[in-house]
Amino acid sequence: AFPGQTVQVTAVLESEGLDFIEVEPVLADADGRQLDSAKLKVRPGERTIHTFSLKAPEQSTLLTLEVPGQDGEMRLSNNKAGVRLRILDDKARVFIAEGAPYWDSKFLAQLLRQQKHMDVVSVHRLSESRWFRIDSGESKPHESHVDVFPDTREELMAYDLIIFGKNSEHFLTTERIDHLRHFVSDQGGAVLFSRSKPYTGLMPDLAPLEPVSWKTGITGEFKMVPSADGQAAGLFGQALPAPDSPVWATLPKLKDAHRIDVVKPFTRVLAYGEMGTAATQGRFPLLMVRRYGQGVTGLVNADGLWKWDFFPEARELGNMYEEYWIQMIHWMLSYSEFLPGQEFSLNLSASTIEPGTPVALRMGYRGPGKPGTPMVEVSSPTLDEPMRLAPAEIPSDDGRLKWGASFTPEEPGNYQLRLVDEAPPGGNPRSMPEASITVLPPPQEMDELSADPEFLREFSALSGGKLIPVNDFSAFLRDALQPAPLESRDRGVEWHSSWMRWITPILVLLCLATEWWLRRRNGLV
């Protein structure tokens, strides 16, 4: 972010194994001072999203978001997260080329010239011999008989973003288009087509920079609907309201989208245009971005966004016109490999990892000459002192300077990576890129003690049993503990009583009679 710019920090909360709870996450600065908080309701198994808004400070800082522990919560190590807020020191340099001025181009040029963190040159064509140029900080235009579009690659390198309105064919020649393609692919520049198809007729030389292929015709009125890809890319739901926000349905409708034949490969559709009734709804790509080499190109396939800033009903929703364009342009500049005003780039393969996971570092250079190999300085509260990594140069078929390195943090915490390079001879120190890595604490044995139903189900099935849910346990006991019914068997050991046979009582009586006879004979009776 730039100093003083409104920054959106989005928190995503999830709970598992807890009942419906109300929590109050706290956003704090590096010194622990509370910046903002919110009371949120979190349901088990569902995601709760909240966006904090704050003004960017003057210096880069580490923000932390923390949720207090809840009753019954076992694992508290994942209740805190950090995000590095990098403050850009250099202004974004923007060139606006408008061949058919209208309210859209007038409002956009005025808005960008008002931004303290942007240096803007806007050129408008009024006729074949009249061109108006207005720079940042000026209120009156300079009239010229020729356009002032950059003619060389060196002149294009003075800008970070080129914005085209309509009728750009009055600015572009075959040679200028070649320079423009080099500006995007090799120098990491950004090009934005802000008013649908940027030219009349055909311009095959410009086609590689466009995210789409065109066909004839334009559409009627429609509304903007952010896409899921736009949310995943971080534009909607972070920099701008989420796709499900009611603000998008209440904004004034747009118009004059040019019909699209094909969306080119690797193009991300960040928002759609929807027109017609609910029964006859039509949808087409409205906001798109596409990587091209080291840079990026974007397309806004619409006219009429100026109404978001003009109509009273739109004003009641907040200054969505300003928010949309500023956040969109900043997002595009950060989507490119190089940040505004920087000649070096630093990109990581991952920003949130587990301990012991290697992270690949990729560096690039787009400035003049050939600098020495830069170093990567790594600092963290977990390190006694900063350490330095020496990257290796990576062979490149296009001749661009690239380096690579690898870093494997072992301890949980926040790691700050900064590219270090000596100042060019006789020049000022370069503005160098930074990046951050968050190493999450690993799960501990006592963090999760709840039952694993799926494991228990598989384990009981292996032994011929089954898993009984808690709610069904009473019914299980009632059914399982009933007395077993009597069974008759026709095999095995059988009991046959001998007392009921005639021989038994006769033998008993015979024994008794014999005893009586013996006693009488011997005179014992």
Side-chain angles (χ1 to χ4, degrees):
F2 293 96
Q5 177 190 352
T6 300
V7 179
Q8 309 285 345
V9 179
T10 300
V12 182
L13 286 78
E14 294 182 83
S15 73
E16 184 176 351
L18 298 174
D19 296 328
F20 174 83
I21 57 176
E22 292 187 1
V23 299
E24 187 173 359
V26 175
L27 184 67
D29 61 12
D31 297 325
R33 292 188 296 266
Q34 180 174 328
L35 301 176
D36 200 357
S37 65
K39 293 185 178 181
L40 306 176
K41 298 178 179 180
V42 182
R43 290 178 171 82
E46 297 182 6
R47 307 178 86 192
T48 299
I49 300 176
H50 180 76
T51 300
F52 296 93
S53 296
L54 67 152
K55 292 292 184 181
E58 296 296 324
Q59 301 293 331
S60 299
T61 185
L62 179 67
L63 304 178
T64 58
L65 185 69
E66 187 170 4
V67 179
Q70 305 298 310
D71 293 338
E73 187 175 5
M74 296 180 182
R75 185 180 181 185
L76 301 178
S77 59
N78 59 359
N79 284 28
K80 187 175 181 180
V83 57
R84 179 75 178 178
L85 179 57
R86 170 69 196 281
I87 302 302
L88 300 176
D89 302 322
D90 302 291
K91 291 184 177 182
R93 302 158 298 180
V94 182
F95 188 97
I96 302 176
E98 178 57 72
Y102 191 60
W103 292 111
D104 288 273
S105 53
K106 179 179 179 180
F107 274 54
L108 179 58
Q110 288 178 347
L111 172 64
L112 299 187
R113 286 197 298 269
Q114 294 169 1
Q115 306 305 310
K116 296 180 180 180
H117 47 268
M118 288 188 182
D119 279 333
V120 180
V121 175
S122 58
V123 179
H124 302 268
R125 177 184 181 273
L126 302 181
S127 66
E128 290 186 4
S129 59
R130 294 188 67 196
W131 305 78
F132 279 179
R133 168 177 172 169
I134 309 179
D135 297 350
S136 293
E138 298 178 345
S139 57
K140 294 183 179 180
H142 305 288
E143 186 172 351
S144 174
H145 296 292
V146 294
D147 68 87
V148 290
F149 193 86
D151 271 319
T152 64
R153 296 184 179 183
E154 290 71 21
E155 291 178 1
L156 274 174
M157 284 181 63
Y159 300 98
D160 299 297
L161 172 65
I162 308 295
I163 299 178
F164 287 102
K166 289 188 177 294
N167 292 70
S168 59
E169 65 270 17
H170 298 295
F171 293 89
L172 297 176
T173 62
T174 301
E175 186 176 5
R176 286 179 175 177
I177 293 176
D178 181 65
H179 296 333
L180 194 65
R181 292 172 60 179
H182 174 81
F183 166 74
V184 177
S185 63
D186 299 339
Q187 298 175 359
V191 170
L192 175 61
F193 304 109
S194 64
R195 297 178 60 196
S196 68
K197 186 180 178 182
Y199 51 85
T200 303
L202 299 175
M203 291 191 71
D205 293 337
L206 191 62
L209 290 177
E210 296 180 283
V212 300
S213 298
W214 304 103
K215 63 181 180 181
T216 58
I218 58 175
T219 64
E221 291 189 337
F222 52 88
K223 61 181 180 180
M224 175 185 285
V225 178
S227 69
D229 200 12
Q231 184 174 21
L235 178 60
F236 298 101
Q238 295 187 28
L240 292 169
D244 57 357
S245 172
V247 67
W248 302 110
T250 52
L251 287 171
K253 291 186 176 182
L254 309 177
K255 63 175 184 177
D256 294 346
H258 207 94
R259 296 190 181 277
I260 294 173
D261 185 20
V262 175
V263 176
K264 295 181 180 178
F266 309 111
T267 296
R268 303 185 72 170
V269 180
L270 308 181
Y272 290 96
E274 286 189 354
M275 54 186 176
T277 63
T280 61
Q281 197 113 39
R283 170 178 283 197
F284 61 90
L286 190 154
L287 177 60
M288 291 152 280
V289 292
R290 180 171 178 254
R291 289 274 192 186
Y292 187 76
Q294 293 182 311
V296 60
T297 63
L299 168 64
V300 181
N301 188 21
D303 257 353
L305 275 86
W306 62 274
K307 292 184 287 186
W308 292 4
D309 190 46
F310 187 79
F311 283 67
E313 57 269 25
R315 277 287 189 176
E316 293 176 359
L317 302 171
N319 201 336
M320 275 302 300
Y321 178 82
E322 178 178 349
E323 283 296 310
Y324 169 79
W325 277 116
I326 298 302
Q327 298 295 346
M328 169 63 187
I329 289 175
H330 288 165
W331 182 87
M332 272 197 64
L333 292 174
S334 64
Y335 193 68
S336 178
E337 183 169 341
F338 295 88
L339 291 176
Q342 296 186 355
E343 296 177 345
F344 286 89
S345 66
L346 174 61
N347 295 280
L348 310 179
S349 60
S351 58
T352 303
I353 60 172
E354 301 286 344
T357 303
V359 178
L361 284 62
R362 189 180 75 253
M363 291 137 277
Y365 179 71
R366 65 172 177 177
K370 184 175 181 179
T373 301
M375 303 291 289
V376 181
E377 184 178 86
V378 182
S379 58
S380 172
T382 61
L383 300 175
D384 295 333
E385 59 182 19
M387 59 180 295
R388 288 201 171 189
L389 306 177
E393 186 170 345
I394 300 175
S396 175
D397 296 335
D398 51 21
R400 292 177 290 190
L401 288 175
K402 298 179 181 179
W403 300 271
S406 179
F407 173 59
T408 305
E410 299 293 343
E411 298 294 331
N414 292 295
Y415 292 78
Q416 181 67 17
L417 286 72
R418 185 173 67 91
L419 214 58
V420 180
D421 181 64
E422 297 181 358
N428 297 323
R430 294 186 176 103
S431 177
M432 303 300 288
E434 298 179 7
S436 61
I437 300 174
T438 300
V439 183
L440 302 175
Q444 302 296 318
E445 184 177 359
M446 300 302 293
D447 284 343
E448 179 56 79
L449 301 178
S450 59
D452 187 345
E454 187 60 31
F455 170 77
L456 294 176
R457 183 179 293 106
E458 294 178 2
F459 184 75
S460 59
L462 292 175
S463 61
K466 64 178 180 179
L467 185 68
I468 307 299
V470 174
N471 296 335
D472 299 340
F473 189 64
S474 298
F476 165 75
L477 293 177
R478 185 176 59 252
D479 297 338
L481 299 183
Q482 289 183 354
L486 298 177
E487 297 181 1
S488 60
R489 301 194 312 176
D490 57 359
R491 294 184 180 179
V493 178
E494 296 183 3
W495 177 262
H496 299 283
S497 176
S498 297
W499 178 254
M500 299 306 294
R501 298 182 181 182
W502 62 271
I503 190 64
T504 301
I506 291 177
L507 291 176
V508 173
L509 291 175
L510 181 61
C511 290
L512 292 174
T514 302
E515 181 185 16
W516 178 83
W517 180 78
L518 290 174
R519 285 176 176 271
R520 186 174 180 83
R521 183 177 179 180
N522 293 301
L524 298 177
V525 178

